[in-house]
Amino acid sequence: MTGRSARGGGAKRPTLEDVAARAGVSRALVSIVIRGVAGASEETRERVLKAADELGYRPDTRARLLARNSPRLLGVTFNVQHAFHTDLIEGIYAAADDSDYEVVLSALTPRRDERRAVETLLGYRCDALIMLGPESPATRLDELARRVPLIAVGRRLREPSIDLVHTDEEAGMRQAVDHLVKLGHRDIAHIDGGRSPKATDRRRAYRAAMRRHGLGGSARIVPGGQTAESGATAARLLLDGGEPPTAVIAYDDDCAAGVLDSLLRAGVSVPGDVSVIGFDDSRLSRLSHVNLTTIGQDAGRMASLAVERAVARLSGDGRTDRDFVISPHLVVRGTTASCRT
């Protein structure tokens, strides 16, 4: 029976001693190879790794971290309903690896709020917290930042205790409105982000951008949210309210996907009848059947900065400038076109 087949049926998990016995070396030498440190010849390293693979051995990461004086853990809260958070998490893992930190994720779901997500990470004794799109009141986040270094990604705050990494919302919304006006659109609606703290910034930026083009009087904001379902509901409201706008700027790509679905079901051509723009440039927007024009946020840069700031805070960086603003960019795809009317 091979090591791989022995793992089924509730077999005992292979240990360092098992790997050492199969490779014919000491347990200490196996530990050196598994940890990737110097001290073993290339021939020995290959023999140990082959034995570990045959046995199906996997290092006990939790035990290794607990054995350290400092676990070097970065806790990350994220919302499972936000496609853009997935892009950010990928970048956070890459940046954390480069800094020799481990990442612990704690999710927000419709039945699991941000407070619980944070308490889980504190229970793991994370050295710092990176919160993606934090929704808690500013006072609560300030209290938390006094307990552990806190980096808020995607939200503006005034509290100096918190490092901020976010996109220039005003510039992003201005690019969206400019693009549509250049295509001849004048009746441009905005489906907002509901109660999201970021929604206020984008509403304000939308109104300002419309005023720049002399369209302030025709600005139209429809209550929405951060999910496809909320976008679909908002689009139905637009369609039921009479003549729909010729263009819609959704709060984010998830919301825009719901808008596209409602328009498609109603027989409204996109972009023939209505142009649609999202915000984020998440993986969702790049799918061939979505092909969404959107405002791109630099997920890789935002993730790298968030980890960089967390590590700097942990090393005692006394920097007073803690507000890092990333420039967005327009990504033109297939959901916007010249206005027919």
Side-chain angles (χ1 to χ4, degrees), residues 206-289:
Y206 160 75
R207 290 193 182 99
M210 292 289 281
R211 286 195 298 270
R212 285 182 65 249
H213 290 283
L215 301 173
S218 62
R220 193 177 353 170
I221 296 177
V222 182
Q226 306 171 61
T227 65
E229 291 77 8
S230 60
T233 300
R236 287 194 293 269
L237 287 174
L238 281 173
L239 294 174
D240 293 343
E243 188 69 21
T246 65
V248 173
I249 302 174
Y251 170 76
D252 62 11
D253 291 347
D254 297 295
C255 179
V259 172
L260 294 175
D261 183 68
S262 280
L263 295 178
L264 175 65
R265 292 175 185 273
V268 177
S269 171
V270 176
D273 299 321
V274 178
S275 288
V276 178
I277 294 185
F279 206 115
D280 283 344
D281 192 27
S282 64
R283 295 184 184 188
L284 171 67
S285 69
R286 303 168 213 158
L287 295 176
S288 59
H289 68 281

Side-chain angles (χ1 to χ4, degrees), residues 37-326:
V37 299
S41 68
E42 188 59 34
E43 186 274 332
T44 298
R45 188 176 299 277
E46 290 180 2
R47 191 161 78 248
V48 168
L49 292 176
K50 180 181 179 182
D53 182 60
E54 291 173 347
L55 290 171
Y57 172 80
R58 295 291 180 270
D60 189 338
T61 303
R62 182 174 60 179
R64 176 171 56 85
L65 291 172
L66 291 175
R68 292 180 177 179
N69 290 330
S70 174
R72 297 180 70 86
L73 297 180
L74 299 179
V76 180
T77 64
F78 70 103
N79 195 315
V80 296
Q81 295 181 304
H82 295 177
F84 186 60
H85 285 190
T86 303
D87 296 344
L88 288 170
I89 288 170
E90 181 178 347
I92 287 171
Y93 268 116
D97 283 344
D98 291 342
S99 299
D100 193 28
Y101 274 82
E102 299 285 349
V103 174
V104 181
L105 300 178
S106 190
L108 281 71
T109 73
R111 300 181 62 180
R112 190 173 193 264
D113 64 15
E114 193 165 81
R115 181 180 291 272
R116 183 175 174 189
V118 167
E119 290 301 325
T120 297
L121 296 177
L122 294 178
Y124 275 96
R125 296 187 299 168
C126 291
D127 298 281
L129 298 184
I130 298 174
M131 301 182 69
L132 307 185
E135 301 174 358
S136 299
T139 52
R140 160 67 179 158
L141 294 175
D142 183 49
E143 292 172 2
L144 183 60
R146 299 179 189 281
R147 298 172 59 187
V148 60
L150 173 61
I151 291 78
V153 179
R155 180 176 172 185
R156 291 197 308 169
L157 294 160
R158 296 180 179 179
E159 284 64 25
S161 59
I162 305 169
D163 280 39
L164 310 176
V165 177
H166 59 99
T167 295
D168 186 337
E169 307 285 352
E170 183 175 352
M173 195 60 76
R174 182 170 62 247
Q175 290 174 25
V177 173
D178 287 353
H179 172 64
L180 292 171
V181 170
K182 187 176 180 179
L183 292 173
H185 294 276
R186 295 295 181 271
D187 189 2
I188 305 168
H190 172 49
I191 297 177
D192 75 4
R195 297 181 178 179
S196 166
K198 229 175 1 181
T200 301
D201 293 333
R202 292 188 185 173
R203 280 193 296 268
R204 184 183 300 115
Y206 160 75
R207 290 193 182 99
M210 292 289 281
R211 286 195 298 270
R212 285 182 65 249
H213 290 283
L215 301 173
S218 62
R220 193 177 353 170
I221 296 177
V222 182
Q226 306 171 61
T227 65
E229 291 77 8
S230 60
T233 300
R236 287 194 293 269
L237 287 174
L238 281 173
L239 294 174
D240 293 343
E243 188 69 21
T246 65
V248 173
I249 302 174
Y251 170 76
D252 62 11
D253 291 347
D254 297 295
C255 179
V259 172
L260 294 175
D261 183 68
S262 280
L263 295 178
L264 175 65
R265 292 175 185 273
V268 177
S269 171
V270 176
D273 299 321
V274 178
S275 288
V276 178
I277 294 185
F279 206 115
D280 283 344
D281 192 27
S282 64
R283 295 184 184 188
L284 171 67
S285 69
R286 303 168 213 158
L287 295 176
S288 59
H289 68 281
V290 179
N291 198 29
L292 179 69
T293 296
T294 185
I295 299 301
Q297 300 193 76
D298 191 339
R301 178 59 178 152
M302 294 173 76
S304 177
L305 257 178
V307 172
E308 179 183 310
R309 290 309 305 151
V311 173
R313 291 285 298 278
L314 291 169
S315 64
D317 178 11
R319 182 171 180 165
T320 56
D321 178 15
R322 293 180 175 173
D323 188 359
F324 299 86
V325 184
I326 311 299

